[in-house]
């Protein structure tokens, strides 16, 4: 039975003192203190053997723990964590298997407890109102180079006050970090130069996914920029996430958080030094860092280069041999019915298709499979007029694979 009051040393000492006085029986005192006679006699025996100190509660921990993690393994876990401060228990378990050839490493929960014991992690608070976001119609990546994700991490100044705009590109299937480029600015010129080098090194993807901001998107016809029009001209489909929805590019944004923590705080002395730092981190990310999404393997084990190579001498046919196309001038205009119509600077040097509407005086203008708008009729100022269908969705595929507008990637 429990004591009436918390069984402190004082209560037990009082019980023993009264019992030893000879004025009360043990049975009477047990009834008064609300404990069993077995408990009363136990504390009398303990006091007789060890005095007041024996009345204090002892530790309930077992004398031996046969399954306790070996101290050498615990030191190894702590060492790896300090070497990689942002890696969690799952990644550290994969490191023990891969790097240290451990056949039966401790469970993930055990590694988490080791990290907590050493003060290397702190509990996270769930953000109020957090919910699971569905990705809608965005393409699921099924193989290497199927879908690449791209974005700018967010610019910062290096120690010499130079601006650094990191451009990042990830293969979503393998989580392979294809590029981290410390660009001077997030402009179309610098971005195209970086992508030209990337395409020559790794080949072309099937799809590139990005947000709607510059230099990827624009407020012009179709919401395309010169950069995304160039990608489509190479036979690459483009996907835009919904505006203000970075969670649709979640794995890429998560990589950004780690990149910022491990490579940008504090910034390097200059942009050259920052690029070397990015290169070292990218090598570790691809060749050493396990990823849960690919079964705790490293991206380098899964990724391989694309078989579709960049060839400036081959023009990709976006429409097929039977479709009549019309060239867009270097000023972004196209000629129809003896009049010049401006369709957008982003399409300069490309070919578009005219599609006759109900009235012969109005035609639709299409680039690849994206309807840009209409020209002719009462359209003012010789500019393209957007149609009600010209609303880019977050999951729109730009270059389709229909028989009429197939893309020849060979």
């Amino acid at each position: 039975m429990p004591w009436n009051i918390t069984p402190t040393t004082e209560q037990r000492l009082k019980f023993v003192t009264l019992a030893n006085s000879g004025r009360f029986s043990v049975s009477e005192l047990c009834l008064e203190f609300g404990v069993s006679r077995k408990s009363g006699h136990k504390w009398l025996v303990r006091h007789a053997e060890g005095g007041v100190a024996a009345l204090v509660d002892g530790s309930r921990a077992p004398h031996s723990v046969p399954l306790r993690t070996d101290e050498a393994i615990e030191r190894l876990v702590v060492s790896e964590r300090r070497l990689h401060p942002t890696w969690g228990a799952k990644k550290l378990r994969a490191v023990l298997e891969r790097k240290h050839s451990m056949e039966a490493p401790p469970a993930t929960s055990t590694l988490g407890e080791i990290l907590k014991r050493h003060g290397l992690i702190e509990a996270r608070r769930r953000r109020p109102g957090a919910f699971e976001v569905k990705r809608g119609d965005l393409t699921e990546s099924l193989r290497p180079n199927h879908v690449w994700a791209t974005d700018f991490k967010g610019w910062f100044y290096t120690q010499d006050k130079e601006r650094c705009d990191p451009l990042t590109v990830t293969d979503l299937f393998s989580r392979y970090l294809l590029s981290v480029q410390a660009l001077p600015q997030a402009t179309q010129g610098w971005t195209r130069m970086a992508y030209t080098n990337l395409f020559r090194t790794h080949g072309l993807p099937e799809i590139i996914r990005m947000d709607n901001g510059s230099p990827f998107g624009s407020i012009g016809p179709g919401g395309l920029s010169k950069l995304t029009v160039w990608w489509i001209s190479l036979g690459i489909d483009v996907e835009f996430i919904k505006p203000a929805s970075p969670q649709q590019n979640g794995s890429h944004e998560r990589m950004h958080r780690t990149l910022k923590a491990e490579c940008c705080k504090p910034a390097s002395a200059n942009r050259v030094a920052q690029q070397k730092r990015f290169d070292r981190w990218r090598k570790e990310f691809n060749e050493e860092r396990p990823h849960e999404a690919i079964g705790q393997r490293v991206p380098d084990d899964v990724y391989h280069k694309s078989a579709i190579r960049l060839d400036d001498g081959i023009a990709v046919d976006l429409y097929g041999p039977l479709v009549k196309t019309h060239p867009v001038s270097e000023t972004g205009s196209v000629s129809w019915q003896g009049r010049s119509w401006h369709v957008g600077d982003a399409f300069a040097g490309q070919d578009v298709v005219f599609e006759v509407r109900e009235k012969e005086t109005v035609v639709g203008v299409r680039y690849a499979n994206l309807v840009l708008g209409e020209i002719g009729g009462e359209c003012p100022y010789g500019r393209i007029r957007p149609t009600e269908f010209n609303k880019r969705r977050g999951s729109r595929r730009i270059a389709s694979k229909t028989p009429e507008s197939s893309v020849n990637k060979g």
Side-chain angles (χ1 to χ4, degrees):
M1 292 178 62
W3 298 81
N4 284 340
I5 307 177
T6 304
T8 61
T9 304
E10 292 182 1
Q11 287 291 312
R12 291 167 184 164
L13 181 58
K14 183 178 180 181
F15 176 89
V16 171
T17 302
L18 291 175
N20 291 335
S21 70
R23 294 182 295 166
F24 307 96
S25 68
V26 174
S27 297
E28 290 175 332
L29 291 173
C30 289
L31 184 63
E32 178 68 22
F33 281 83
V35 297
S36 67
R37 286 190 298 173
K38 181 179 179 180
S39 296
H41 284 290
K42 178 184 72 173
W43 292 112
L44 286 171
V45 172
R46 288 194 179 183
H47 181 266
E49 295 177 350
V52 177
L55 300 179
V56 179
D57 284 320
S59 173
R60 295 181 180 272
H63 295 291
S64 64
V65 184
L67 299 180
R68 182 187 293 275
T69 304
D70 187 87
E71 291 185 4
I73 295 178
E74 188 162 334
R75 288 196 299 270
L76 185 61
V77 172
V78 172
S79 175
E80 287 290 346
R81 169 67 179 195
R82 287 173 176 163
L83 187 62
H84 306 288
T86 62
W87 292 16
K90 292 180 180 179
K91 284 182 171 54
L92 293 176
R93 189 174 193 274
V95 167
L96 295 179
E97 291 179 323
R98 181 185 183 90
K99 181 178 178 180
H100 299 284
S101 304
M102 195 174 296
E103 295 183 0
T108 302
S109 58
T110 302
L111 296 179
E113 292 300 322
I114 292 175
L115 297 179
K116 288 180 181 178
R117 264 201 313 273
H118 290 268
L120 297 176
I121 59 174
E122 55 185 28
R124 286 186 181 179
R125 295 180 59 188
R126 183 175 177 85
R127 179 171 57 85
F131 58 92
E132 182 180 359
V133 178
K134 296 182 178 180
R135 292 185 177 273
D137 297 327
L138 292 177
T139 304
E140 180 183 358
S141 184
L142 302 176
R143 53 193 171 273
N145 304 302
H146 185 194
V147 184
W148 287 4
T150 189
D151 199 2
F152 280 88
K153 187 204 74 64
W155 68 273
F156 59 91
Y157 285 120
T158 53
Q159 294 180 23
D160 63 349
K161 304 304 180 182
E162 282 188 334
R163 177 170 172 143
C164 178
D165 253 309
L167 171 67
T168 57
V169 188
T170 307
D171 176 67
L172 291 184
F173 180 81
S174 63
R175 298 298 195 268
Y176 191 88
L177 185 55
L178 295 146
S179 178
V180 183
Q181 287 293 313
L183 301 183
Q185 288 182 316
T187 61
Q188 295 195 34
W190 282 107
T191 307
R192 175 162 177 165
M193 186 183 304
Y195 261 94
T196 299
N197 295 331
L198 184 62
F199 290 156
R200 295 193 187 283
T201 303
H202 294 281
L204 304 182
E206 298 176 49
I207 304 168
I208 298 180
R209 181 181 300 167
M210 71 222 79
D211 62 21
N212 298 265
S214 178
F216 310 115
S218 75
I219 60 174
L224 301 177
S225 65
K226 289 183 178 180
L227 179 67
T228 44
V229 168
W230 173 58
W231 287 343
I232 295 173
S233 73
L234 297 176
I236 302 171
D237 296 354
V238 298
E239 283 186 347
F240 291 89
I241 64 175
K242 293 180 181 179
S245 301
Q247 64 272 17
Q248 290 194 325
N249 225 356
S251 63
H252 198 78
E253 294 296 333
R254 178 62 183 86
M255 179 272 296
H256 275 181
R257 190 171 77 182
T258 306
L259 173 67
K260 180 179 180 180
E262 298 186 357
C263 285
C264 305
K265 290 186 174 182
S268 298
N270 51 55
R271 199 165 55 245
V272 174
Q274 188 68 56
Q275 183 62 60
K276 292 180 179 179
R277 191 172 170 187
F278 285 153
D279 292 341
R280 289 193 299 269
W281 184 81
R282 175 175 165 269
K283 180 178 176 64
E284 177 188 285
F285 188 92
N286 289 332
E287 300 178 10
E288 299 180 26
R289 184 187 184 94
H291 288 256
E292 184 178 1
I294 53 176
Q296 294 300 352
R297 291 176 291 175
V298 297
D300 193 54
D301 289 341
V302 181
Y303 180 76
H304 60 74
K305 294 182 179 181
S306 173
I308 309 171
R309 314 308 298 173
L310 176 64
D311 191 338
D312 296 329
I314 299 178
V316 176
D317 186 359
L318 298 176
Y319 305 101
L322 302 180
V323 178
K324 183 179 180 181
T325 60
H326 301 265
V328 180
S329 70
E330 294 301 321
T331 60
S333 299
V334 64
S335 178
W336 185 68
Q337 289 188 342
R339 187 177 177 184
S340 180
W341 300 85
H342 189 74
V343 297
D345 296 339
F347 304 94
Q350 302 295 322
D351 292 331
V352 296
V353 172
F354 291 163
E355 297 175 328
V356 179
R357 297 286 188 249
E358 295 180 359
K359 299 179 180 179
E360 294 184 357
T361 57
V362 176
V363 299
V365 181
R366 175 167 62 89
Y367 178 68
N369 77 325
L370 178 65
V371 177
L372 303 179
E374 296 175 341
I375 60 175
E378 299 178 356
C379 299
Y381 312 117
R383 289 184 176 274
I384 192 170
R385 178 176 61 192
T387 66
E388 59 179 341
F389 304 104
N390 186 27
K391 295 179 180 179
R392 186 183 64 217
R393 298 176 299 166
S395 58
R396 165 161 275 172
R397 293 281 299 279
I398 299 301
S400 70
K401 301 296 187 294
T402 58
E404 182 182 2
S405 59
S406 61
V407 177
N408 179 14
K409 294 187 178 182

